[in-house]
Amino acid sequence: MRLKLRGSALAALIGAAAAAHAAAAADLTPRLGGVEAPPAFSWSGFYLGVHGGYGWGSSDWTVINTLPPTGATSTANPRSAGLLGGIQLGADHQFGNWVLGVGADFSLIDGAASGASTLVSLGGTTTVAHSEIDWLATFTARFGYAFDRSLFYVKGGISGAEFKDDYLLSGPVAAVDSGTLGNIRVGWTIGAGYEYAIFDNWTARIEYDYLDFGSTAENFVFSGLTNVAINQSIERKLQLVSVGIGYKF
């Protein structure tokens, strides 16, 4: 009888130990196999950064004669190219995988160009048209699709830039400089890019932009040539490729 009791007690003890082991295993399973995934990266927030790159474009001059044959035209097509650098700032909001934001870029650019043409009204005198770009800025909205830390986006908005132009007339006797005319032009821009979050608060981007400033009329007066005036229409376009780094707040 005593042996039976001892056997029953031993069986009960083994059963309790097995139940405790099963409970402990069940408690450990989510801890070992159910490690929480880190939260997905969010593109929402404000950012500030710097960028650098290369720009190229054209200033297509159409010169309208003011001397006989009045109304005849000649052309000059300076092509500009140069390095650029500046700052960018803006804010984004992410909903699902989609990202919507607004931003502004400001760049200084070393872009100058010159091109020769023949001005009919002055009997074949060679003229050199020269254009420079001092700075440019864009104010855009962007729309993109995010794969966690990768963001592909398109952008569009308005652009502004300061241009400086001058004429040099070279004849068989002397050369006459018209002086420089400066003006600020406003146009439109579109672009596309890719941005990657290299750390939680730091991102890197590569971007392409196309800027169109339309055409503007200018009037050069050569005081040394009995106040001869030369009128022209200048159409300006730019393309930019840049890389940048930004800090996301």
Side-chain angles (χ1 to χ4, degrees):
M1 185 70 179
R2 188 175 299 174
L3 185 59
K4 281 186 179 181
L5 288 175
R6 287 182 180 178
S8 299
L10 181 61
L13 183 62
I14 292 174
H21 177 75
D27 185 58
L28 285 174
T29 300
R31 296 184 185 181
L32 295 177
V35 178
E36 288 188 14
F41 181 81
S42 173
W43 288 92
S44 296
F46 294 91
Y47 63 85
L48 176 68
V50 295
H51 62 267
Y54 188 76
W56 69 97
S58 62
S59 296
D60 296 331
W61 297 46
T62 301
V63 182
I64 305 170
N65 289 358
T66 56
L67 297 176
T70 303
T73 61
S74 57
T75 61
N77 307 104
R79 295 292 184 264
S80 57
L83 299 176
L84 63 91
I87 62 173
Q88 72 268 6
L89 55 90
D92 292 315
H93 178 70
Q94 182 171 352
F95 47 100
N97 290 96
W98 300 101
V99 176
L100 181 65
V102 293
D105 292 14
F106 178 83
S107 306
L108 297 176
I109 181 169
D110 179 24
S114 62
S117 65
T118 299
L119 191 62
V120 178
S121 63
L122 295 180
T125 298
T126 300
T127 67
V128 176
H130 183 264
S131 293
E132 289 187 0
I133 311 167
D134 281 352
W135 57 263
L136 57 91
T138 64
F139 304 90
T140 57
R142 76 170 180 174
F143 184 66
Y145 191 86
F147 298 91
D148 192 24
R149 290 178 174 265
S150 290
L151 174 64
F152 296 87
Y153 63 89
V154 294
K155 59 184 290 190
I158 62 174
S159 58
E162 182 178 11
F163 296 91
K164 293 182 178 178
D165 308 305
D166 67 83
Y167 246 138
L168 177 65
L169 273 66
S170 300
V173 178
V176 181
D177 195 328
S178 68
T180 301
L181 291 179
N183 60 80
I184 296 176
R185 296 293 301 162
V186 176
W188 57 269
T189 180
I190 57 173
Y194 169 73
E195 192 166 3
Y196 182 77
I198 49 181
F199 300 108
D200 286 343
N201 294 99
W202 291 96
T203 67
R205 77 174 196 188
I206 182 169
E207 185 175 289
Y208 166 83
D209 297 290
Y210 176 84
L211 297 83
D212 192 322
F213 296 95
S215 61
T216 180
E218 291 185 349
N219 181 23
F220 288 99
V221 177
F222 296 86
S223 58
L225 293 176
T226 319
N227 293 323
V228 171
I230 298 179
N231 300 324
Q232 65 279 319
S233 173
I234 305 178
E235 186 175 356
R236 311 180 196 271
K237 298 179 177 65
L238 285 174
Q239 298 184 69
L240 311 174
V241 173
S242 64
V243 295
I245 188 167
Y247 183 85
K248 188 176 76 67
F249 297 93

